[in-house]
Each structure stands twice: as structure tokens, then as C-alpha cells.
Amino acid sequence: MTIMGYQREDGRIGIRNRVMVLFTVICAEQVANRIAWSVPDAFAVGWRDCQEKDYATRKMVRIGTHPNIGGVLVVSLGCECSDAADIGAQIAATGKPVDLLVIQEAGGTKKAIRKGIEQVRALQETAEQAPRVAMSPADLIVGVECGGSDATSGLAANPAVGVFSDRHIARGGTVIFEETNELWGCEPLLLERADTPAVADAVRQAVEVSRQWSLSTGQVALSTGNIEGGLTTIEEKSLGAFCKAGSTPIKGVLQGGEWNTPDDKGLYLLAPFYVEPNGFTGAGTISDPNGVTELAAAGAHIVIFTTGRGSVTGSGVAPVLKVTGNDDTYHRMQDNMDINAGTILTGERTLEEVGETIDEQVLAVAGGELTKAEDLEHFEFHI
Amino acid sequence: MRFIRVHETDNVAVALQETPPNSPITLVGGALPDDLHTRDAIPANHKVALAAIAADVPIRKHGVVVGYATQDIAPGEHVHTHNTIGIQDYQIQQGGRTS
């Protein structure tokens, strides 16, 4: 199957061509949202704090330069600590169409919204000029994540995604998984899967940083509730999430804060925790939308998101495909759920069959079909 | 009663409902070689042994080792914290024995 992608000037190929409205402080958020809501297919993202933070700037630039993005309007109030012009220039340096709107210079809210709408329309016209090129399924970088999990996640949805991950990697594709805080305790299993001793060291380091962070924030690995729910060991709990990554070797670790895109094919671990030069260990805000944003920042074209209780989250950058292992959730929240892996537990379908369906859906989405979250314009963003 | 074995090499299966003792075990999407019944009550989402698992033998789920039996476990028995230990705890215990 051939997918017609959008060729970007930096050589990458995208599967979407949306224009992103990027606000650089909370004071510009309302104007950015009003602009995005006024133009079909545009969406707003941004950074709220009025403080210089390299981490946020780097992440906005990584998202702005994502191959799925056709153009970027940077919306600034005009006096915030973020350097809006510099963020725009860094994105434009990759050849991406970029425009800048400064609310104070535009003459206030109404004039800024009117001007911004025109700028987004112009960016969309420019984005339409992007050459369409054939893209092999093997060129797709797919992120896998889970949220709102229940007992069905580890039994049906995550193993079915694992079947997909193995299939995609077998044809030469790339899969990124993350959630190192859920891998705490299953180092032996992870290290066994490391492709080289250097990767094993990087995995060990990534899990150790996440352990320090978890301890500093009071998280426990295997809770009383987990044990009551039938999970016996930390390895078993971790496996329930880790099995999304299938069974192939881990080829490398992508560092949070840098979000370097995988340099080869195969399976990669994204470690969202980072250590600053002063020794501070941190992470982006902990939420499902942030997890999706992290995967997109590392270059994921599509994110497969498994849920048991029923997440509604989406992204304007990387289409989010929902897989639930809970048959009730699928029927109750059919507006939000793309794939019912609950049929594995009812005995209607096998893991392999559902894994194949996930694969077919991923290729259809790469070919332009909207996911449920996209259709509902669930374009959450959380740095 | 319905159970799921996540991977064909697993020696445990997970109960899809609360299951009383002496209930026949049916695997969704798979068959068991012999008629197997639960020996214990198995709460929903908890594990049952599909085969005899001797002490120190790995408990396999998702096709990989997720722990070790701390005592002999008979087919149909509830597999949980009373008879199973995590990999790292097991390694520490083994290290303690040899030193």
C-alpha cells in the first residue's frame, strides 16, 4: 500500500497538512483559540507560563517542525518572556511556512483575531503547495501510549497493539513507546530486550531517572489497589503496559527534553524524564495529552492510544487512534473509540486478528482517513 | 467460567469474572488439553495456574517471566502474592542463599 504524504523542505514526509496556531504565553491563548476556531482544520497549541524556559521553547520548536504540520502562526502578546520571534525563526529555518502575530502591535484583540484569520488562511494556501509524494508504510513512525487503563488494557488492548508493533517493525517501520515510570521494576525484562550494551546502559539510566522522579513525587510502583485487582508482581504490572512494544529488540533511547527522532528503524524507548544541569529531575506535565505531545515531539506520525475506562484525548499534530480492550467502554463511548479489542475477551476475535485490524486502521489513517479524535477536533496539547 | 491466556506459552490464565472453586475453566479463543477446574475461588482479573508449577519455577504471562513460585502450585490454584514472588525479589533471595 502506498500512502501519499506531504514532502517537507527538511526532507521529512508528513501525513497531515494542518496549520498550527502557536501561542507563546497564556495572555495570547484566547486570541489564538479564537483564530483557530474560525478557520476549519486549524488548531491552537501553546505554552502558558510567562517565564523563559528552554524546555518549553525546544518542545514548541520540535512540534512546529513536525512533518505533519503544514504551517505555523506564532501568536504573541508582545511582552512575554518567551521569544516568539525566535521560536518562529527556528521553525522557519527548516523551510516551514511561518508567520508572526503580535497582539500589541496588531491593535488589540479584535484586530489581532481578524489579522490572524487572514494569516492562517494564507498559510493554508501555502501549505497546499507542498508536493505530494509516495510514502511507504515502513516510513511511518508510530507512537504507542496508554491512559485511563483498566484490567482489560493489559489483557487485550496492549497485547493487540504489541501484535501491531511487531508487524510494523517486521516491514521496516519504527515504533516509539514511553511511560518509563510504568516500567519501573521490570528492568530485567527491558535489559534483555536492549539491542546493544550501550542501549542497555541508556535504558537502565532512563528507568533510574524515572525511579528518582517517582520517589520524589511519592508514586509507588505496585499499589494495594493493583494487588487487589489481581496484579501479583511489579514485573507483571509493567508487562501489561510494556507489551504494547511487542517483542523486538530496543534499538535506542530517545531523551525527553531533546526529543531526537529515531535515526533508524525498529523499536525505541522515549524517556520523558530529564535531568537539568543543576541536578533537578523533572518531566513535562504528567497527563495523557502531554504523553501524546512527547511522542509527536519525537517525530511520531500517528499515536495508538489504548484505554480501558475511556480516554477522549487527541492531537492536532499526530492523529490519535483509540483502542479499547473493554467491550462496554467501546459501546458506551463509540464516538471516541476507533477499535474494539474487547472482542478478544468475549472470544469473538483473536489477538492476531485485532492486531491486523489495528494495522489496517493505521495505514488508512496515514492515507488520510480521520480518527474519531480528529473528527471531533480533540486537539489537546500539554507541554 | 471464562479465562484468558494472554500468550500460548503462559502457565497462568486470568479470570474474566469472579469464579468459585470447582468451576470448569474455559479459555476464550483457545482450548485446554485436559478438563481443568479451579481449586480455589478466583476473583475477577486474578490468575489461575493452568499446569503444576513447582517452587522456584517461573510464572509466565504475556509469554515472559513475571515472577517465581514460592511453593508448589497445583493446576487450578489461585496464583497471587501468597505463592508468587517478583523477579527482583527472587534474585535478591537467591543471592542471599548463596552468600
Side-chain angles (χ1 to χ4, degrees):
Chain A
M1 179 183 173
T2 303
I3 301 153
M4 293 307 288
Y6 298 88
Q7 178 70 58
R8 304 303 177 197
E9 284 196 15
D10 63 359
R12 296 160 83 189
I13 304 174
I15 59 164
R16 292 293 184 272
N17 203 27
R18 292 197 177 94
V19 167
M20 182 169 102
V21 182
L22 178 65
F23 59 87
T24 49
V25 66
I26 189 169
C27 314
E29 184 173 6
Q30 164 75 349
V31 168
N33 281 334
R34 291 280 292 274
I35 293 167
W37 291 338
S38 302
V39 187
D41 223 27
F43 68 100
V45 304
W47 165 246
R48 288 179 170 161
D49 289 2
C50 189
Q51 73 185 84
E52 185 71 56
K53 200 177 183 193
D54 273 359
Y55 175 83
T57 298
R58 283 199 305 274
K59 200 162 183 178
M60 285 190 277
V61 171
R62 291 295 296 161
I63 290 292
T65 55
H66 191 287
N68 284 1
I69 298 300
V72 180
L73 175 65
V74 181
V75 182
S76 158
L77 175 62
C79 54
E80 67 269 28
C81 298
S82 300
D83 189 339
D86 178 60
I87 291 169
Q90 287 190 53
I91 297 169
T94 64
K96 187 90 65 188
V98 174
D99 207 347
L100 178 65
L101 173 65
V102 181
I103 297 167
Q104 289 166 352
E105 290 170 11
T109 300
K110 287 184 179 176
K111 287 174 184 163
I113 292 171
R114 272 200 297 272
K115 184 179 178 195
I117 290 170
E118 293 312 312
Q119 287 174 302
V120 168
R121 287 189 180 134
L123 285 165
Q124 285 181 331
E125 276 175 33
T126 309
E128 284 305 313
Q129 309 299 317
R132 302 300 297 269
V133 290
M135 186 181 188
S136 152
D139 295 333
L140 286 174
I141 301 175
V142 180
V144 295
E145 198 196 337
C146 53
S149 299
D150 68 10
T152 66
S153 301
L155 296 177
N158 291 342
V161 171
V163 170
F164 161 82
S165 294
D166 284 348
R167 283 173 70 108
H168 185 52
I169 288 166
R171 70 173 160 234
T174 304
V175 172
I176 309 175
F177 71 109
E178 54 165 356
E179 300 165 308
T180 43
N181 50 332
E182 293 181 20
L183 301 173
W184 178 15
C186 78
E187 291 93 332
L189 302 168
L190 280 165
L191 296 176
E192 256 172 41
R193 295 272 297 277
D195 199 35
T196 65
V199 172
D201 283 345
V203 169
R204 200 179 286 114
Q205 172 70 13
V207 177
E208 182 51 35
V209 170
S210 107
R211 187 203 314 276
Q212 287 166 10
W213 182 85
S214 298
L215 289 173
S216 71
T217 56
Q219 292 201 346
V220 292
L222 188 68
S223 68
T224 311
N226 290 149
I227 294 171
E228 281 168 6
L231 296 172
T232 305
T233 69
I234 179 60
E235 290 84 3
E236 180 185 9
K237 179 191 173 184
S238 299
L239 241 297
F242 181 39
C243 64
K244 291 193 297 295
S247 60
T248 63
I250 302 169
K251 298 293 287 291
V253 176
L254 312 173
Q255 293 303 334
E258 296 173 22
W259 305 287
N260 42 322
T261 299
D263 51 9
D264 201 359
K265 305 294 190 177
L267 179 66
Y268 285 80
L269 169 64
L270 170 62
F273 299 90
Y274 60 93
V275 184
E276 288 183 352
N278 64 5
F280 171 78
T281 301
T285 314
I286 301 300
S287 67
D288 292 341
N290 182 58
V292 172
T293 305
E294 290 273 339
L295 290 165
H301 291 100
I302 295 179
V303 173
I304 304 175
F305 192 106
T306 62
T307 184
R309 301 174 66 86
S311 160
V312 300
T313 199
S315 163
V317 186
V320 173
L321 190 70
K322 294 275 169 41
V323 181
T324 181
N326 188 320
D327 193 55
D328 289 340
T329 299
Y330 179 78
H331 288 101
R332 190 163 23 85
M333 295 180 66
Q334 215 160 352
D335 285 350
N336 300 93
M337 298 299 136
D338 292 284
I339 293 169
N340 184 8
T343 50
I344 295 162
L345 301 182
T346 57
E348 293 161 72
R349 305 188 73 203
T350 65
L351 262 181
E352 284 67 28
E353 285 168 352
V354 175
E356 202 171 309
T357 298
I358 294 171
D359 193 13
E360 287 163 6
Q361 278 293 107
V362 164
L363 298 185
V365 169
E369 198 174 287
L370 298 183
T371 65
K372 295 270 177 80
E374 279 183 292
D375 193 40
L376 294 165
E377 297 185 27
H378 262 292
F379 294 151
E380 283 85 2
F381 183 86
H382 208 179
I383 285 188
Chain B
M1 302 299 257
R2 291 161 54 248
F3 288 73
I4 186 158
R5 179 168 58 179
V6 186
H7 191 273
E8 59 188 14
T9 60
D10 294 352
N11 52 11
V12 293
V14 177
L16 293 175
Q17 67 290 298
E18 191 173 342
T19 306
N22 302 314
S23 307
I25 296 175
T26 309
L27 288 187
V28 297
L32 287 170
D34 301 308
D35 279 352
L36 188 61
H37 287 70
T38 54
R39 293 171 71 98
D40 305 318
I42 316 287
N45 303 312
H46 282 233
K47 294 174 291 299
V48 69
L50 293 176
I53 305 171
D56 296 315
V57 165
I59 307 293
R60 300 183 70 90
K61 190 184 169 194
H62 294 284
V64 297
V65 177
V66 296
Y68 289 86
T70 53
Q71 60 192 64
D72 293 347
I73 303 172
E77 258 187 64
H78 185 200
V79 175
H80 203 27
T81 47
H82 62 287
N83 56 16
T84 301
I85 188 172
I87 298 174
Q88 291 191 350
D89 290 340
Y90 180 77
Q91 286 168 347
I92 292 165
Q93 205 180 70
Q94 293 299 299
R97 274 181 201 168
T98 52
S99 63

